[in-house]
Amino acid sequence: MKRKTVTIVNNLTGQEEEFPLIEGNQGPPAFDIRSLYPKMGLFTYDPGFKSTASCSSDITFIDGEEGILLYRGYPIEQLAEKSCYLEVCYLLLYGELPDREQYAHFHRMITTHSMVNEGLRAFMSGFRHDAHPMSILVGVVGALSSFYHHELDVSDPEHQEISAHRLIAKLPTIAAAAYKYSIGQPFMYPQNDLCYSENFLSMMFSVPAEPYNVNPLEARVLDLVLLLHADHEQNASTSTVRLAGSSLANPFAAVSAGIGALWGPAHGGANEAVIRMLEEIGDVKNINAFIDRARDKNDPFRLNGFGHRVYKNYDPRARILRKAVHQLLADTKTSDPLFEIAMRLEEIAMKDAYFLEKKLYPNVDFYSGIIYRRLGIPVNMFTVMFAVARCIGWIAQWKEMISDPERVIGRPRQVYTGPKDHEYEMPDQRGYPTGSTKHCPRCPQSRWSRMGSSS
Ligand code: CMC
């Protein structure tokens, strides 16, 4: 009978060991190498985790070859068409779609936790007036720990749940405040009669001096963008949240770490980079020059919004967003020259041998920025928008990680390639004045050392 194992042979020593195969419900199996080091004295080497499953998870599934994305088993296309962001938050957090009562309760919890402690205003005012909103978000979400840390027991399911609610509820408030701060306008309070995306638009664009009516079309399209970004299994920021949380750090600190990881242009920062790139292209006639640059091995330039570690097919989120941009521009009878450039760029890239061979397709960030622009959201807020949307994914994955009976602190190994057998040389053997270590051997630059050398 065939065994569900993988055998590893060390060809240097001839040692042979068998490791169990773990099969999920979908996707390729993994073999369990937790006993590899104790059994064989070997580590595996996989920078970037290209072939490593860091956990098992019930939350999200991606089939990158086929371009399939499921949240808790539900296809993203169905959720995008029929559900809404907050319902999807419930689904990701609790594992099933809510019934009416469950949703009403959840909605109420998120709505009533959306205010932030007034003390955070003072915290915000410490930032430079032109601070990037992502820097504010990283700092302020981490600072939320200072309001809840003492009372928080991360192993208590009730505490996990209330932390999750607080994070989902407060992220839009903090994000909008970061924007208001950057333009010198007063922070706007959340309104409990507005739904999640309406509330966000209201906190972003209303001012105390006059009434503000949320445009329902804009709220709907924002809700869709949030839903499409809600979770994406073990990406860089989610893995960061899990890793930070595995030390039993509080969830606000762990999510703040995730926000930091999201910021880079290879991850959530790509939406900002896409718009800057489209602006730089400026005209369809310049597209080919940028494609040439993206193909050039000696040029670090990459086509922002193209390619994905997992998708080797069209990102299903990008397909939905592309359609949504068309719809939004048609509904509002507007056009966007950057959308024209984006579509032409996609068309050209999708016929180009380099992009075809490497299976580089538009990803979710290729079209999200066009929508944000149309909603009046400034470019430096785009990655903040991603963070607001992804907060549920981070916290659902954190909750799963923290409740996992197999949880241990995350601690990768390394292959050390640095020098060995260095022996310490005293400072005067390395060009410092003789006797400079007389008073303080610990630091050759110390006050006492300087006094010693000048005397
Ligand atoms: N433009 C040009 N060449 C590319 C691109 C691109 N956008 N993306 C990958 N390549 C090339 C890359 O140079 C490499 O070529 P070679 O095999 O000759 O060395 C090959 O394709 C594979 O790339 P990789 O960097 O090894 O692949 P990865 O899985 O490590 O990187 C990625 C995935 C998303 C970081 C990368 O495709 C990229 O930098 N894309 C642009 C940034 C971007 O849009 N990021 C958003 C990702 S989706 C939102 C999210 O969830 O974060």
Side-chain angles (χ1 to χ4, degrees), residues 229 232 265-271 274 303-311 313-322 346 350 359-369 386:
H229 285 82
H232 215 228
H267 190 7
N271 52 17
V274 167
L303 220 50
N304 293 302
F306 269 77
H308 198 274
R309 170 63 61 78
V310 184
Y311 291 120
N313 200 327
Y314 211 102
D315 178 340
R317 304 166 301 171
R319 184 171 286 120
I320 297 168
L321 277 181
R322 189 183 195 274
E346 178 189 329
M350 290 297 78
K359 300 185 177 172
L360 301 170
Y361 294 86
N363 60 52
V364 68
D365 285 330
F366 193 62
Y367 289 113
S368 61
F386 196 149

mmCIF file of all heavy atoms in Angstrom, residues 229 232 265-271 274 303-311 313-322 346 350 359-369 386:
data_model
loop_
_atom_site.group_PDB
_atom_site.id
_atom_site.type_symbol
_atom_site.label_atom_id
_atom_site.label_comp_id
_atom_site.label_asym_id
_atom_site.label_seq_id
_atom_site.Cartn_x
_atom_site.Cartn_y
_atom_site.Cartn_z
ATOM 1 N N HIS A 229 -10.350 43.034 -0.706
ATOM 2 C CA HIS A 229 -9.038 43.054 -0.047
ATOM 3 C C HIS A 229 -9.062 42.392 1.332
ATOM 4 O O HIS A 229 -8.053 42.413 2.042
ATOM 5 C CB HIS A 229 -8.572 44.499 0.153
ATOM 6 C CG HIS A 229 -8.079 45.162 -1.105
ATOM 7 N ND1 HIS A 229 -8.916 45.722 -2.023
ATOM 8 C CD2 HIS A 229 -6.829 45.365 -1.568
ATOM 9 C CE1 HIS A 229 -8.197 46.241 -3.007
ATOM 10 N NE2 HIS A 229 -6.931 46.039 -2.759
ATOM 11 N N HIS A 232 -6.206 37.310 2.260
ATOM 12 C CA HIS A 232 -5.519 36.693 1.127
ATOM 13 C C HIS A 232 -4.500 35.685 1.618
ATOM 14 O O HIS A 232 -3.334 35.723 1.230
ATOM 15 C CB HIS A 232 -4.863 37.779 0.253
ATOM 16 C CG HIS A 232 -4.893 37.422 -1.188
ATOM 17 N ND1 HIS A 232 -3.796 37.515 -1.995
ATOM 18 C CD2 HIS A 232 -5.896 36.944 -1.961
ATOM 19 C CE1 HIS A 232 -4.120 37.120 -3.213
ATOM 20 N NE2 HIS A 232 -5.394 36.765 -3.218
ATOM 21 N N PRO A 265 6.121 48.625 -1.641
ATOM 22 C CA PRO A 265 5.526 48.581 -2.985
ATOM 23 C C PRO A 265 5.400 47.179 -3.573
ATOM 24 O O PRO A 265 4.658 46.977 -4.522
ATOM 25 C CB PRO A 265 6.471 49.444 -3.831
ATOM 26 C CG PRO A 265 7.751 49.500 -3.065
ATOM 27 C CD PRO A 265 7.407 49.340 -1.616
ATOM 28 N N ALA A 266 6.120 46.185 -2.994
ATOM 29 C CA ALA A 266 5.942 44.819 -3.495
ATOM 30 C C ALA A 266 4.652 44.214 -2.949
ATOM 31 O O ALA A 266 4.184 43.188 -3.427
ATOM 32 C CB ALA A 266 7.140 43.957 -3.087
ATOM 33 N N HIS A 267 4.062 44.863 -1.943
ATOM 34 C CA HIS A 267 2.839 44.323 -1.311
ATOM 35 C C HIS A 267 1.764 45.404 -1.428
ATOM 36 O O HIS A 267 1.442 45.852 -2.514
ATOM 37 C CB HIS A 267 3.203 43.941 0.131
ATOM 38 C CG HIS A 267 2.186 43.155 0.894
ATOM 39 N ND1 HIS A 267 1.042 42.647 0.337
ATOM 40 C CD2 HIS A 267 2.144 42.788 2.214
ATOM 41 C CE1 HIS A 267 0.350 41.992 1.265
ATOM 42 N NE2 HIS A 267 0.991 42.077 2.417
ATOM 43 N N GLY A 268 1.221 45.869 -0.301
ATOM 44 C CA GLY A 268 0.086 46.802 -0.358
ATOM 45 C C GLY A 268 0.430 48.174 -0.906
ATOM 46 O O GLY A 268 -0.461 48.902 -1.356
ATOM 47 N N GLY A 269 1.712 48.519 -0.854
ATOM 48 C CA GLY A 269 2.116 49.826 -1.391
ATOM 49 C C GLY A 269 2.040 49.874 -2.905
ATOM 50 O O GLY A 269 2.241 50.939 -3.512
ATOM 51 N N ALA A 270 1.736 48.724 -3.537
ATOM 52 C CA ALA A 270 1.686 48.693 -5.005
ATOM 53 C C ALA A 270 0.575 49.583 -5.552
ATOM 54 O O ALA A 270 0.713 50.157 -6.637
ATOM 55 C CB ALA A 270 1.499 47.258 -5.488
ATOM 56 N N ASN A 271 -0.540 49.741 -4.802
ATOM 57 C CA ASN A 271 -1.641 50.546 -5.353
ATOM 58 C C ASN A 271 -1.212 52.007 -5.538
ATOM 59 O O ASN A 271 -1.549 52.647 -6.537
ATOM 60 C CB ASN A 271 -2.922 50.404 -4.519
ATOM 61 C CG ASN A 271 -2.721 50.664 -3.039
ATOM 62 O OD1 ASN A 271 -1.718 51.244 -2.634
ATOM 63 N ND2 ASN A 271 -3.674 50.253 -2.221
ATOM 64 N N VAL A 274 1.235 52.056 -8.490
ATOM 65 C CA VAL A 274 0.580 51.927 -9.805
ATOM 66 C C VAL A 274 0.171 53.304 -10.321
ATOM 67 O O VAL A 274 0.452 53.668 -11.473
ATOM 68 C CB VAL A 274 -0.666 51.008 -9.717
ATOM 69 C CG1 VAL A 274 -1.526 51.127 -10.974
ATOM 70 C CG2 VAL A 274 -0.261 49.565 -9.494
ATOM 71 N N LEU A 303 6.729 46.533 -13.581
ATOM 72 C CA LEU A 303 5.401 47.050 -13.872
ATOM 73 C C LEU A 303 4.550 46.890 -12.612
ATOM 74 O O LEU A 303 4.192 45.766 -12.241
ATOM 75 C CB LEU A 303 4.814 46.237 -15.030
ATOM 76 C CG LEU A 303 4.027 46.990 -16.089
ATOM 77 C CD1 LEU A 303 4.766 48.198 -16.619
ATOM 78 C CD2 LEU A 303 3.665 46.054 -17.222
ATOM 79 N N ASN A 304 4.299 47.995 -11.933
ATOM 80 C CA ASN A 304 3.533 47.919 -10.686
ATOM 81 C C ASN A 304 2.117 47.426 -10.974
ATOM 82 O O ASN A 304 1.516 47.798 -11.974
ATOM 83 C CB ASN A 304 3.503 49.295 -10.021
ATOM 84 C CG ASN A 304 4.871 49.716 -9.555
ATOM 85 O OD1 ASN A 304 5.490 49.020 -8.756
ATOM 86 N ND2 ASN A 304 5.372 50.815 -10.086
ATOM 87 N N GLY A 305 1.619 46.597 -10.068
ATOM 88 C CA GLY A 305 0.272 46.058 -10.272
ATOM 89 C C GLY A 305 0.256 44.830 -11.157
ATOM 90 O O GLY A 305 -0.804 44.328 -11.521
ATOM 91 N N PHE A 306 1.442 44.337 -11.525
ATOM 92 C CA PHE A 306 1.532 43.107 -12.319
ATOM 93 C C PHE A 306 2.319 42.057 -11.556
ATOM 94 O O PHE A 306 3.309 42.369 -10.907
ATOM 95 C CB PHE A 306 2.247 43.365 -13.655
ATOM 96 C CG PHE A 306 1.307 43.731 -14.753
ATOM 97 C CD1 PHE A 306 0.781 45.012 -14.814
ATOM 98 C CD2 PHE A 306 0.932 42.803 -15.717
ATOM 99 C CE1 PHE A 306 -0.110 45.357 -15.811
ATOM 100 C CE2 PHE A 306 0.046 43.139 -16.722
ATOM 101 C CZ PHE A 306 -0.480 44.424 -16.771
ATOM 102 N N GLY A 307 1.872 40.817 -11.682
ATOM 103 C CA GLY A 307 2.604 39.709 -11.075
ATOM 104 C C GLY A 307 2.104 39.432 -9.671
ATOM 105 O O GLY A 307 1.532 40.302 -9.000
ATOM 106 N N HIS A 308 2.290 38.218 -9.256
ATOM 107 C CA HIS A 308 1.873 37.821 -7.913
ATOM 108 C C HIS A 308 2.597 36.534 -7.552
ATOM 109 O O HIS A 308 2.836 35.694 -8.414
ATOM 110 C CB HIS A 308 0.348 37.584 -7.874
ATOM 111 C CG HIS A 308 -0.193 37.599 -6.493
ATOM 112 N ND1 HIS A 308 -0.206 36.476 -5.704
ATOM 113 C CD2 HIS A 308 -0.699 38.607 -5.750
ATOM 114 C CE1 HIS A 308 -0.718 36.794 -4.533
ATOM 115 N NE2 HIS A 308 -1.018 38.082 -4.517
ATOM 116 N N ARG A 309 2.943 36.419 -6.277
ATOM 117 C CA ARG A 309 3.624 35.200 -5.842
ATOM 118 C C ARG A 309 2.756 33.968 -6.082
ATOM 119 O O ARG A 309 3.239 32.907 -6.463
ATOM 120 C CB ARG A 309 3.975 35.329 -4.349
ATOM 121 C CG ARG A 309 4.465 34.060 -3.675
ATOM 122 C CD ARG A 309 5.781 33.549 -4.259
ATOM 123 N NE ARG A 309 6.870 34.483 -4.111
ATOM 124 C CZ ARG A 309 7.561 34.688 -2.989
ATOM 125 N NH1 ARG A 309 7.264 34.012 -1.916
ATOM 126 N NH2 ARG A 309 8.549 35.550 -2.957
ATOM 127 N N VAL A 310 1.463 34.077 -5.873
ATOM 128 C CA VAL A 310 0.611 32.889 -5.943
ATOM 129 C C VAL A 310 -0.146 32.808 -7.272
ATOM 130 O O VAL A 310 -0.221 31.746 -7.885
ATOM 131 C CB VAL A 310 -0.382 32.866 -4.755
ATOM 132 C CG1 VAL A 310 -1.212 31.590 -4.770
ATOM 133 C CG2 VAL A 310 0.358 32.982 -3.421
ATOM 134 N N TYR A 311 -0.710 33.930 -7.731
ATOM 135 C CA TYR A 311 -1.487 33.875 -8.982
ATOM 136 C C TYR A 311 -0.560 33.758 -10.184
ATOM 137 O O TYR A 311 0.265 34.634 -10.422
ATOM 138 C CB TYR A 311 -2.339 35.131 -9.160
ATOM 139 C CG TYR A 311 -3.468 35.232 -8.167
ATOM 140 C CD1 TYR A 311 -3.544 36.299 -7.294
ATOM 141 C CD2 TYR A 311 -4.460 34.259 -8.102
ATOM 142 C CE1 TYR A 311 -4.560 36.403 -6.375
ATOM 143 C CE2 TYR A 311 -5.483 34.346 -7.181
ATOM 144 C CZ TYR A 311 -5.531 35.413 -6.321
ATOM 145 O OH TYR A 311 -6.533 35.515 -5.406
ATOM 146 N N ASN A 313 -2.146 33.342 -13.013
ATOM 147 C CA ASN A 313 -3.303 33.513 -13.868
ATOM 148 C C ASN A 313 -3.878 34.881 -13.496
ATOM 149 O O ASN A 313 -3.391 35.511 -12.563
ATOM 150 C CB ASN A 313 -4.321 32.398 -13.565
ATOM 151 C CG ASN A 313 -5.297 32.196 -14.692
ATOM 152 O OD1 ASN A 313 -5.660 33.141 -15.392
ATOM 153 N ND2 ASN A 313 -5.737 30.962 -14.866
ATOM 154 N N TYR A 314 -4.939 35.303 -14.157
ATOM 155 C CA TYR A 314 -5.527 36.606 -13.827
ATOM 156 C C TYR A 314 -6.033 36.594 -12.378
ATOM 157 O O TYR A 314 -6.751 35.686 -11.966
ATOM 158 C CB TYR A 314 -6.685 36.872 -14.789
ATOM 159 C CG TYR A 314 -6.890 38.345 -15.092
ATOM 160 C CD1 TYR A 314 -6.436 38.896 -16.290
ATOM 161 C CD2 TYR A 314 -7.525 39.172 -14.184
ATOM 162 C CE1 TYR A 314 -6.623 40.243 -16.564
ATOM 163 C CE2 TYR A 314 -7.713 40.514 -14.455
ATOM 164 C CZ TYR A 314 -7.268 41.044 -15.641
ATOM 165 O OH TYR A 314 -7.454 42.374 -15.909
ATOM 166 N N ASP A 315 -5.636 37.589 -11.615
ATOM 167 C CA ASP A 315 -6.112 37.720 -10.233
ATOM 168 C C ASP A 315 -7.622 37.980 -10.292
ATOM 169 O O ASP A 315 -8.073 38.953 -10.912
ATOM 170 C CB ASP A 315 -5.349 38.912 -9.615
ATOM 171 C CG ASP A 315 -5.746 39.234 -8.183
ATOM 172 O OD1 ASP A 315 -6.840 38.829 -7.753
ATOM 173 O OD2 ASP A 315 -4.955 39.922 -7.516
ATOM 174 N N PRO A 316 -8.441 37.089 -9.684
ATOM 175 C CA PRO A 316 -9.900 37.253 -9.816
ATOM 176 C C PRO A 316 -10.390 38.587 -9.255
ATOM 177 O O PRO A 316 -11.388 39.138 -9.706
ATOM 178 C CB PRO A 316 -10.461 36.078 -9.001
ATOM 179 C CG PRO A 316 -9.366 35.643 -8.099
ATOM 180 C CD PRO A 316 -8.085 35.964 -8.799
ATOM 181 N N ARG A 317 -9.643 39.121 -8.281
ATOM 182 C CA ARG A 317 -10.039 40.415 -7.695
ATOM 183 C C ARG A 317 -9.842 41.526 -8.716
ATOM 184 O O ARG A 317 -10.637 42.465 -8.788
ATOM 185 C CB ARG A 317 -9.213 40.684 -6.433
ATOM 186 C CG ARG A 317 -9.317 39.586 -5.390
ATOM 187 C CD ARG A 317 -8.251 39.728 -4.332
ATOM 188 N NE ARG A 317 -6.896 39.679 -4.883
ATOM 189 C CZ ARG A 317 -5.794 39.941 -4.196
ATOM 190 N NH1 ARG A 317 -5.876 40.252 -2.925
ATOM 191 N NH2 ARG A 317 -4.601 39.866 -4.769
ATOM 192 N N ALA A 318 -8.774 41.415 -9.510
ATOM 193 C CA ALA A 318 -8.501 42.447 -10.526
ATOM 194 C C ALA A 318 -9.604 42.436 -11.594
ATOM 195 O O ALA A 318 -10.030 43.488 -12.081
ATOM 196 C CB ALA A 318 -7.138 42.208 -11.162
ATOM 197 N N ARG A 319 -10.070 41.223 -11.913
ATOM 198 C CA ARG A 319 -11.130 41.115 -12.932
ATOM 199 C C ARG A 319 -12.404 41.831 -12.447
ATOM 200 O O ARG A 319 -13.030 42.588 -13.191
ATOM 201 C CB ARG A 319 -11.410 39.636 -13.222
ATOM 202 C CG ARG A 319 -12.412 39.440 -14.333
ATOM 203 C CD ARG A 319 -12.543 37.995 -14.772
ATOM 204 N NE ARG A 319 -11.412 37.547 -15.566
ATOM 205 C CZ ARG A 319 -10.606 36.551 -15.241
ATOM 206 N NH1 ARG A 319 -10.789 35.890 -14.127
ATOM 207 N NH2 ARG A 319 -9.614 36.199 -16.036
ATOM 208 N N ILE A 320 -12.730 41.601 -11.181
ATOM 209 C CA ILE A 320 -13.943 42.222 -10.616
ATOM 210 C C ILE A 320 -13.759 43.749 -10.551
ATOM 211 O O ILE A 320 -14.663 44.519 -10.893
ATOM 212 C CB ILE A 320 -14.244 41.643 -9.212
ATOM 213 C CG1 ILE A 320 -14.546 40.148 -9.311
ATOM 214 C CG2 ILE A 320 -15.409 42.383 -8.551
ATOM 215 C CD1 ILE A 320 -14.583 39.420 -7.976
ATOM 216 N N LEU A 321 -12.582 44.171 -10.155
ATOM 217 C CA LEU A 321 -12.343 45.611 -10.019
ATOM 218 C C LEU A 321 -12.334 46.326 -11.374
ATOM 219 O O LEU A 321 -12.808 47.453 -11.500
ATOM 220 C CB LEU A 321 -11.007 45.862 -9.312
ATOM 221 C CG LEU A 321 -11.057 45.782 -7.788
ATOM 222 C CD1 LEU A 321 -9.699 46.077 -7.196
ATOM 223 C CD2 LEU A 321 -12.086 46.770 -7.223
ATOM 224 N N ARG A 322 -11.787 45.656 -12.371
ATOM 225 C CA ARG A 322 -11.742 46.245 -13.720
ATOM 226 C C ARG A 322 -13.170 46.557 -14.184
ATOM 227 O O ARG A 322 -13.448 47.634 -14.693
ATOM 228 C CB ARG A 322 -11.088 45.217 -14.652
ATOM 229 C CG ARG A 322 -10.760 45.688 -16.029
ATOM 230 C CD ARG A 322 -10.191 44.455 -16.750
ATOM 231 N NE ARG A 322 -9.495 44.765 -17.965
ATOM 232 C CZ ARG A 322 -10.086 44.890 -19.136
ATOM 233 N NH1 ARG A 322 -11.391 44.766 -19.224
ATOM 234 N NH2 ARG A 322 -9.375 45.144 -20.218
ATOM 235 N N GLU A 346 -2.457 47.047 -19.953
ATOM 236 C CA GLU A 346 -2.807 45.642 -19.742
ATOM 237 C C GLU A 346 -2.866 44.905 -21.080
ATOM 238 O O GLU A 346 -2.318 43.813 -21.226
ATOM 239 C CB GLU A 346 -4.158 45.531 -19.027
ATOM 240 C CG GLU A 346 -4.562 44.090 -18.840
ATOM 241 C CD GLU A 346 -5.986 43.890 -18.329
ATOM 242 O OE1 GLU A 346 -6.495 44.733 -17.584
ATOM 243 O OE2 GLU A 346 -6.576 42.861 -18.711
ATOM 244 N N MET A 350 -0.362 41.918 -21.953
ATOM 245 C CA MET A 350 -0.949 40.575 -22.068
ATOM 246 C C MET A 350 -0.669 39.910 -23.420
ATOM 247 O O MET A 350 -0.995 38.745 -23.620
ATOM 248 C CB MET A 350 -2.455 40.616 -21.806
ATOM 249 C CG MET A 350 -2.851 40.891 -20.354
ATOM 250 S SD MET A 350 -2.313 39.643 -19.168
ATOM 251 C CE MET A 350 -0.622 39.978 -18.893
ATOM 252 N N LYS A 359 4.058 34.558 -16.706
ATOM 253 C CA LYS A 359 2.697 34.522 -16.147
ATOM 254 C C LYS A 359 2.441 35.718 -15.233
ATOM 255 O O LYS A 359 2.036 35.571 -14.080
ATOM 256 C CB LYS A 359 2.435 33.201 -15.412
ATOM 257 C CG LYS A 359 2.567 31.995 -16.324
ATOM 258 C CD LYS A 359 2.175 30.732 -15.597
ATOM 259 C CE LYS A 359 2.246 29.556 -16.555
ATOM 260 N NZ LYS A 359 2.077 28.276 -15.959
ATOM 261 N N LEU A 360 2.732 36.892 -15.750
ATOM 262 C CA LEU A 360 2.528 38.130 -14.990
ATOM 263 C C LEU A 360 1.230 38.785 -15.460
ATOM 264 O O LEU A 360 1.153 39.301 -16.572
ATOM 265 C CB LEU A 360 3.711 39.085 -15.207
ATOM 266 C CG LEU A 360 5.085 38.556 -14.794
ATOM 267 C CD1 LEU A 360 6.202 39.471 -15.283
ATOM 268 C CD2 LEU A 360 5.156 38.388 -13.281
ATOM 269 N N TYR A 361 0.233 38.727 -14.606
ATOM 270 C CA TYR A 361 -1.091 39.278 -14.916
ATOM 271 C C TYR A 361 -1.369 40.462 -13.995
ATOM 272 O O TYR A 361 -0.754 40.590 -12.929
ATOM 273 C CB TYR A 361 -2.167 38.219 -14.694
ATOM 274 C CG TYR A 361 -2.071 37.048 -15.640
ATOM 275 C CD1 TYR A 361 -1.245 35.971 -15.364
ATOM 276 C CD2 TYR A 361 -2.801 37.039 -16.826
ATOM 277 C CE1 TYR A 361 -1.143 34.899 -16.231
ATOM 278 C CE2 TYR A 361 -2.714 35.969 -17.702
ATOM 279 C CZ TYR A 361 -1.875 34.907 -17.402
ATOM 280 O OH TYR A 361 -1.778 33.854 -18.280
ATOM 281 N N PRO A 362 -2.336 41.314 -14.349
ATOM 282 C CA PRO A 362 -2.684 42.405 -13.419
ATOM 283 C C PRO A 362 -3.170 41.813 -12.089
ATOM 284 O O PRO A 362 -3.874 40.810 -12.072
ATOM 285 C CB PRO A 362 -3.831 43.133 -14.124
ATOM 286 C CG PRO A 362 -3.740 42.739 -15.547
ATOM 287 C CD PRO A 362 -3.142 41.366 -15.581
ATOM 288 N N ASN A 363 -2.750 42.437 -11.005
ATOM 289 C CA ASN A 363 -3.221 41.996 -9.686
ATOM 290 C C ASN A 363 -4.216 43.013 -9.126
ATOM 291 O O ASN A 363 -4.514 44.023 -9.760
ATOM 292 C CB ASN A 363 -2.039 41.736 -8.747
ATOM 293 C CG ASN A 363 -1.186 42.980 -8.539
ATOM 294 O OD1 ASN A 363 -1.706 44.037 -8.201
ATOM 295 N ND2 ASN A 363 0.122 42.857 -8.741
ATOM 296 N N VAL A 364 -4.691 42.753 -7.928
ATOM 297 C CA VAL A 364 -5.768 43.569 -7.343
ATOM 298 C C VAL A 364 -5.418 45.053 -7.301
ATOM 299 O O VAL A 364 -6.290 45.920 -7.441
ATOM 300 C CB VAL A 364 -6.113 43.049 -5.923
ATOM 301 C CG1 VAL A 364 -4.981 43.304 -4.941
ATOM 302 C CG2 VAL A 364 -7.408 43.612 -5.400
ATOM 303 N N ASP A 365 -4.127 45.340 -7.152
ATOM 304 C CA ASP A 365 -3.735 46.744 -6.997
ATOM 305 C C ASP A 365 -3.706 47.501 -8.310
ATOM 306 O O ASP A 365 -3.530 48.714 -8.317
ATOM 307 C CB ASP A 365 -2.368 46.827 -6.318
ATOM 308 C CG ASP A 365 -2.480 46.515 -4.838
ATOM 309 O OD1 ASP A 365 -3.545 46.807 -4.276
ATOM 310 O OD2 ASP A 365 -1.529 45.973 -4.273
ATOM 311 N N PHE A 366 -3.825 46.789 -9.421
ATOM 312 C CA PHE A 366 -3.719 47.482 -10.701
ATOM 313 C C PHE A 366 -4.911 48.416 -10.921
ATOM 314 O O PHE A 366 -4.764 49.499 -11.466
ATOM 315 C CB PHE A 366 -3.592 46.458 -11.843
ATOM 316 C CG PHE A 366 -3.175 47.097 -13.138
ATOM 317 C CD1 PHE A 366 -1.951 47.741 -13.240
ATOM 318 C CD2 PHE A 366 -4.003 47.071 -14.246
ATOM 319 C CE1 PHE A 366 -1.557 48.353 -14.424
ATOM 320 C CE2 PHE A 366 -3.613 47.674 -15.442
ATOM 321 C CZ PHE A 366 -2.394 48.312 -15.522
ATOM 322 N N TYR A 367 -6.089 47.979 -10.455
ATOM 323 C CA TYR A 367 -7.268 48.820 -10.710
ATOM 324 C C TYR A 367 -7.838 49.504 -9.468
ATOM 325 O O TYR A 367 -8.656 50.404 -9.581
ATOM 326 C CB TYR A 367 -8.364 47.986 -11.391
ATOM 327 C CG TYR A 367 -8.016 47.638 -12.828
ATOM 328 C CD1 TYR A 367 -7.773 46.332 -13.213
ATOM 329 C CD2 TYR A 367 -7.909 48.639 -13.778
ATOM 330 C CE1 TYR A 367 -7.433 46.020 -14.524
ATOM 331 C CE2 TYR A 367 -7.574 48.340 -15.098
ATOM 332 C CZ TYR A 367 -7.330 47.033 -15.456
ATOM 333 O OH TYR A 367 -6.998 46.748 -16.749
ATOM 334 N N SER A 368 -7.404 49.084 -8.278
ATOM 335 C CA SER A 368 -8.027 49.666 -7.073
ATOM 336 C C SER A 368 -7.763 51.174 -6.980
ATOM 337 O O SER A 368 -8.635 51.945 -6.576
ATOM 338 C CB SER A 368 -7.529 48.953 -5.813
ATOM 339 O OG SER A 368 -6.126 49.111 -5.684
ATOM 340 N N GLY A 369 -6.560 51.586 -7.377
ATOM 341 C CA GLY A 369 -6.199 53.004 -7.282
ATOM 342 C C GLY A 369 -7.082 53.891 -8.132
ATOM 343 O O GLY A 369 -7.374 55.045 -7.778
ATOM 344 N N PHE A 386 -5.977 49.883 1.912
ATOM 345 C CA PHE A 386 -5.707 48.440 1.886
ATOM 346 C C PHE A 386 -5.656 47.919 3.328
ATOM 347 O O PHE A 386 -6.230 46.883 3.671
ATOM 348 C CB PHE A 386 -4.379 48.208 1.159
ATOM 349 C CG PHE A 386 -4.099 46.797 0.708
ATOM 350 C CD1 PHE A 386 -3.337 46.556 -0.431
ATOM 351 C CD2 PHE A 386 -4.584 45.696 1.406
ATOM 352 C CE1 PHE A 386 -3.052 45.264 -0.853
ATOM 353 C CE2 PHE A 386 -4.310 44.394 0.981
ATOM 354 C CZ PHE A 386 -3.530 44.191 -0.139
#
